[in-house]
């Protein structure tokens, strides 16, 4: 069973991620939601989702975003920030793809309940020096290029590092990319778009 991590389980969850995940940290940025896969009370895997990256070279063209719709609709996407197995390698064959598939099925609804809005698409980074993205490919994720080598350490702050990642994306609702880039969002999602300051529509006068 894959379910949300309960508030009283948060410390246990984060400690396990720090021990088992290759990044050795459970620190996430912005909105976040943790899930656990368990069998008869035994924790088998953990997944942490967080707010989507502000800009992604591969994701934004895949959706068809320019600055205006991305700013308004970024909260309708999320980031697959942590995923780790807690059991010895080979103990449960295909566990990673099974857990990922189960989690994706209810992820938008869980996000709605926890954060007050649904998510329509997710992004994920895979370190190609360590992993092949097997579970991502098996659960319908699409590779759309790579990152340029920055890590997000705060809501709008990034630090450079020397390990660019492979970028995968996945729609949770089909189709998601088309309405996310459209002039108007469908009525069911329109109320979740963030309203920014109005843009100036005056044309600049020619100089000289």
């Amino acid at each position: 069973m894959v379910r949300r991590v309960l508030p009283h389980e948060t410390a246990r969850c984060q400690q396990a991620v720090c021990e088992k995940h290759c990044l050795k940290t459970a620190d996430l940025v912005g909105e976040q939601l943790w899930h656990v896969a368990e069998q008869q009370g035994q924790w088998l895997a953990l997944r942490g989702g967080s707010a989507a990256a502000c800009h992604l070279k591969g994701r934004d063209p895949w959706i068809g975003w320019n600055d205006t719709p991305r700013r308004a609709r970024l909260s309708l996407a999320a980031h697959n920030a942590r995923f780790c197995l807690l059991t010895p390698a080979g103990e449960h064959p295909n566990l990673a793809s099974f857990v990922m598939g189960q989690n994706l099925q209810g992820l938008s609804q869980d996000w709605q309940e926890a954060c007050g809005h649904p998510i329509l698409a997710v992004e994920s980074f895979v370190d190609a020096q360590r992993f092949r993205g097997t579970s991502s490919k098996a659960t319908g994720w699409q590779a759309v290029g790579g990152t340029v080598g920055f890590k997000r350490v705060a809501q709008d702050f990034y630090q450079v590092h020397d390990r660019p990642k492979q970028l995968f994306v996945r729609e949770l609702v089909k189709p998601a990319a088309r309405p996310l880039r459209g002039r108007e969002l469908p009525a069911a999602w329109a109320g979740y778009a963030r309203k920014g300051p109005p843009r100036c529509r005056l044309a600049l006068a020619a100089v000289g």
Side-chain angles (χ1 to χ4, degrees):
M1 176 180 70
V2 178
R3 61 170 178 82
R4 287 167 53 186
V5 170
L6 301 176
H8 71 274
E9 299 171 322
T10 300
R12 176 187 174 187
C13 168
Q14 294 184 343
Q15 180 180 354
V17 171
C18 290
E19 293 173 355
K20 296 292 186 178
H21 195 274
C22 61
L23 296 179
K24 302 302 180 183
T25 175
D27 295 335
L28 305 184
V29 175
E31 294 179 338
Q32 52 190 266
L33 188 61
W34 291 95
H35 286 84
V36 58
E38 64 178 0
Q39 183 181 54
Q40 297 179 345
Q42 179 190 5
W43 283 20
L44 305 178
L46 290 165
R47 180 195 176 276
S50 67
C54 294
H55 303 270
L56 278 179
K57 183 179 179 181
R59 179 206 63 197
D60 294 350
W62 171 72
I63 293 177
W65 269 346
N66 57 34
D67 285 347
T68 301
R70 184 184 64 242
R71 284 195 299 265
R73 301 167 186 177
L74 189 62
S75 63
L76 295 176
H79 180 61
N80 180 50
R82 297 289 186 275
F83 182 62
C84 62
L85 302 183
L86 306 180
T87 58
E91 182 174 322
H92 299 283
N94 303 316
L95 177 62
S97 56
F98 174 78
V99 171
M100 180 67 73
Q102 291 291 306
N103 180 237
L104 291 170
Q105 288 182 22
L107 186 57
S108 182
Q109 180 61 39
D110 284 353
W111 210 278
Q112 171 86 59
E113 294 173 359
C115 302
H117 63 86
I119 53 174
L120 311 182
V122 281
E123 67 203 28
S124 183
F125 301 153
V126 174
D127 187 342
Q129 298 179 46
R130 295 173 183 254
F131 307 105
R132 293 179 293 179
T134 303
S135 61
S136 298
K137 296 171 185 175
T139 50
W141 294 74
Q142 177 184 348
V144 291
T147 68
V148 294
F150 286 85
K151 65 178 180 179
R152 190 179 188 183
V153 295
Q155 188 68 31
D156 295 306
F157 186 72
Y158 294 78
Q159 289 180 346
V160 67
H161 61 75
D162 61 354
R163 297 184 73 91
K165 307 295 195 302
Q166 190 174 12
L167 173 62
F168 286 82
V169 292
R170 191 184 190 280
E171 294 177 312
L172 296 180
V173 177
K174 293 184 179 294
R178 188 182 308 132
L180 280 174
R181 65 174 174 260
R183 182 179 296 273
E184 301 290 341
L185 278 171
W189 305 332
Y192 301 109
R194 293 177 177 172
K195 295 178 173 60
R199 298 177 67 86
C200 179
R201 298 182 179 276
L202 295 177
L204 294 177
V207 177

